[in-house]
Amino acid sequence: MSTATSPAGPGLQIETRLFIGGEFVDAAQGGRIVVTNPHDNSTLAEVAEATAPDIDRAVAAARQAFPAWKKTAAADRGRLLLKLADAIEADAGYLEQLEALDTGHPIRDVRNLDVPRTAAAFRYFGGIADKVEGRIIPVDAGFLNYVKREPIGVVGAIVPWNFPLLFCSWKMGPALAAGNTMVMKPAEITPLSALRMAALAARVGFPPGVVNILPGYGHVAGQYLAEHRGVGKIAFTGSTAVGRKIVQASAGNLKRVQLELGGKGANIVFDDAPIEAAVNGSAFAIFHNQGQACIAGSRLLLHEAIADQFLDRFLALARSITVGNPLDPATEMGPLTSAGHRDRVLSYVEVAKEQGGRILIGGTPPSDPALREGCYVEPTVVEARSADRVCQEEVFGPFVTVTRFKDEAEALEIANSTIYGLGGGLWTKSLTRAHRFADEMHTGMVWINSYKRVHPGSPFGGVGESGYGREMGFDAMHEYTDSKSVWINVDATIPPFYKR
Ligand code: NAD
């Protein structure tokens, strides 16, 4: 354990060890990862760094725990997930502080979105655990054929830094409900809430080895886990570039892979849109969580007839967003989660300018001296052409491009012009247009007169280079199980193959 030393922090006790086989342990090779507070770049904690021997131990513990966990009644697995949801709610005060300190998410968002959504996901999968039914197939006379769903085995889960707490639940919920055991590697930048989750899982009674949580570097611990022959599936959320490495690493034992990758969401505003709602929803689409969301509406496409009036209001709203210390309940936008990432986001301002993009607002750190040490970037709006790099590459910050279009056909062409296909949306009063776009957008999710809605019951995932597989909803239970087809000869009169 260590105590948060950040001047912004409330002096929290923070777990810093690896969680393997039901216990918190030190790393085999003694390495440490420095975790910083993005508000001021002070050190929050130093956590143990998992390397190959730790991953081996965790996979062994998960394999040992698997047979009994698979045989545990599904309702009992579900009951533990429901208890974990309750434990998260009981721990909300601590989790809010920890997540805000570690990620820079404004505490009001962590309180209103991250923590309740995490509990809701565990509750959903707790409820669904015993509702995964099999099928009976009407095969040839004399045979009974039934199909059951079986857990895969050990799931390796690798998650990014943008929603560390929430993504624990999106992976742990379905994997554990389905009867798998797990080894999870949180992002090295934001491992703290996952370690808290380990403590809560132990507290509510998950058997040792069912959940193992090990912070470590991606190219070391992540790569080793993805290659591990003792792992049956890798559930990965992160960038498209690393997603490709995961696929290659998985080839050794042909493990199953689920990929939730990057996005470049088109948010299309038509001339018949409800403008006030569209302005508000479009700002949420990009500025919530400082734009660090795979489903961010990072490309704003505006019909030329309303573009100017929309932009007036949108820019006024963006300018009014309160940027500040995440622990201040009035803060609407915090810092980016790391200094390296802030620099990457700011580098796209130059990329935009080089290609003739117009910076309408932002593009710099805030001028407030109180924020000077932190990873802050002002809300940034850039007018650019669809083919420009800033309209094609994922910036992953409070950085939205604006491109004008003249008709539906052009809007659709622009919307579908990137390698990504995660989410996208449109604002219109036309029901027929809404359905046309829902059909034609090359994405896994479409929002109409809204943006970035998620729910544990609704499948989440992308197409194209945004990956494959679906989190959440019943779909997730199929992602974390294999089907097994069982044939029984129920008719003694069936003639033998070889008549003698
Ligand atoms: P990242 O790909 O750099 O890292 C994600 C995770 O992979 C981290 O835990 C990292 O340590 C690990 N990793 C890195 N290299 C690895 C390797 N060689 N082998 C195994 N693991 C490795 O992504 P990031 O910067 O942490 O997160 C941002 C990205 O995640 C964005 O592209 C964003 O769109 C994407 N994302 C996607 C979704 C989704 O559901 N589609 C959700 C959130 C974020």
Side-chain angles (χ1 to χ4, degrees):
M1 299 284 274
S2 76
T3 305
T5 50
S6 166
L12 296 180
Q13 290 293 310
I14 295 174
E15 182 54 68
T16 57
R17 293 165 296 171
L18 313 177
F19 186 68
I20 303 176
E23 290 177 349
F24 284 102
V25 295
D26 291 321
Q29 295 181 333
R32 317 285 300 169
I33 301 175
V34 175
V35 181
T36 56
N37 175 352
H39 165 64
D40 56 9
N41 279 308
S42 60
T43 298
L44 267 180
E46 287 188 16
V47 300
E49 181 208 341
T51 55
D54 306 299
I55 300 283
D56 282 338
R57 260 183 82 191
V59 172
R63 285 177 75 88
Q64 200 184 348
F66 177 64
W69 183 244
K70 175 184 169 182
K71 285 203 183 95
T72 301
D76 290 335
R77 295 198 300 261
R79 196 167 297 132
L80 278 174
L81 289 166
L82 296 174
K83 278 181 157 183
L84 186 53
D86 291 344
I88 287 162
E89 282 170 351
D91 198 41
Y94 177 95
L95 281 170
E96 288 160 9
Q97 300 277 337
L98 189 69
E99 192 77 337
L101 282 168
D102 195 7
T103 63
H105 294 195
I107 195 149
R108 64 167 215 160
D109 290 351
V110 187
R111 187 169 292 157
N112 296 328
L113 297 173
D114 302 45
V115 173
R117 283 179 176 180
T118 302
F122 278 121
R123 204 159 273 137
Y124 176 84
F125 287 107
I128 214 174
D130 61 353
K131 291 164 192 75
V132 184
E133 296 174 350
R135 290 179 293 159
I136 293 180
I137 312 296
V139 293
D140 305 324
F143 286 91
L144 169 66
N145 175 238
Y146 65 89
V147 180
K148 56 191 298 216
R149 308 264 351 155
E150 293 208 326
I152 296 166
V154 177
V155 170
I158 301 178
V159 292
W161 46 260
N162 60 327
F163 290 100
L165 178 68
L166 185 65
F167 288 155
C168 281
S169 65
W170 288 19
K171 303 254 183 273
M172 286 169 67
L176 299 177
N180 303 283
T181 55
M182 300 187 76
V183 176
M184 184 156 73
K185 192 203 82 62
E188 51 270 44
I189 301 173
T190 56
L192 303 183
S193 54
L195 290 175
R196 182 66 168 188
M197 190 70 80
L200 296 178
R203 191 184 297 169
V204 302
F206 278 89
V210 168
V211 187
N212 304 275
I213 300 185
L214 294 82
Y217 290 106
H219 64 287
V220 181
Q223 179 82 22
Y224 191 73
L225 182 61
E227 287 169 358
H228 208 293
R229 297 187 72 85
V231 171
K233 163 176 173 162
I234 289 285
F236 174 75
T237 300
S239 62
T240 295
V242 175
R244 285 187 230 286
K245 292 186 186 170
I246 299 283
V247 173
Q248 284 162 357
S250 70
N253 68 338
L254 297 176
K255 57 176 67 67
R256 278 178 69 170
V257 175
Q258 180 178 353
L259 299 174
E260 303 289 346
L261 309 178
K264 193 72 187 172
N267 179 25
I268 312 168
V269 185
F270 282 97
D271 49 352
D272 65 342
I275 291 288
E276 280 310 322
V279 166
N280 215 284
S282 302
F284 175 76
I286 186 63
F287 298 126
H288 165 240
N289 202 31
Q290 296 75 255
Q292 300 169 127
C294 51
I295 52 172
S298 53
R299 289 183 297 151
L300 191 49
L301 311 187
L302 301 180
H303 190 278
E304 57 191 14
I306 48 89
D308 287 334
Q309 56 152 312
F310 181 95
L311 267 180
D312 282 350
R313 295 185 205 196
F314 183 74
L315 295 179
L317 179 55
R319 279 193 197 95
S320 74
I321 289 174
T322 308
V323 180
N325 185 339
L327 293 182
D328 182 342
T331 291
E332 294 170 319
M333 221 178 83
L336 298 187
T337 299
S338 70
H341 187 57
R342 172 205 54 203
D343 296 346
R344 184 177 173 277
V345 168
L346 287 174
S347 75
Y348 272 100
V349 175
E350 296 314 311
V351 170
K353 286 182 189 161
E354 274 162 26
Q355 294 194 295
R358 248 177 4 113
I359 313 298
L360 302 182
I361 59 166
T364 55
S367 52
D368 181 351
L371 308 181
R372 197 179 302 132
E373 301 300 321
C375 306
Y376 292 89
V377 174
E378 286 280 6
T380 299
V381 183
V382 177
E383 186 142 17
R385 291 162 308 170
S386 171
D388 291 353
R389 279 182 59 197
V390 284
C391 295
Q392 294 293 319
E393 297 174 18
E394 189 183 41
V395 178
F396 216 60
F399 184 114
V400 63
T401 60
V402 174
T403 304
R404 297 170 196 242
F405 65 88
K406 60 177 183 313
D407 56 23
E408 256 190 35
E410 192 183 12
L412 190 60
E413 190 191 323
I414 296 174
N416 286 342
S417 70
T418 75
I419 59 168
Y420 297 109
L422 194 56
L426 61 150
W427 301 82
T428 181
K429 290 192 186 122
S430 162
L431 190 60
T432 53
R433 174 189 284 151
H435 284 292
R436 269 198 302 281
F437 270 69
D439 284 352
E440 297 294 331
M441 286 178 81
H442 185 59
T443 55
M445 293 163 281
V446 177
W447 297 281
I448 293 159
N449 295 330
S450 163
Y451 212 91
K452 266 178 63 162
R453 297 297 308 180
V454 292
H455 185 277
S458 183
F460 183 104
V463 298
E465 293 185 33
S466 290
Y468 40 77
R470 292 292 177 270
E471 306 215 88
M472 311 225 272
F474 215 89
D475 303 47
M477 299 305 285
H478 282 198
E479 298 284 347
Y480 284 94
T481 50
D482 285 320
S483 75
K484 179 181 273 182
S485 172
V486 181
W487 290 81
I488 303 174
N489 178 350
V490 291
D491 184 354
T493 66
I494 290 173
F497 290 111
Y498 304 104
K499 294 195 178 115
R500 298 283 188 267

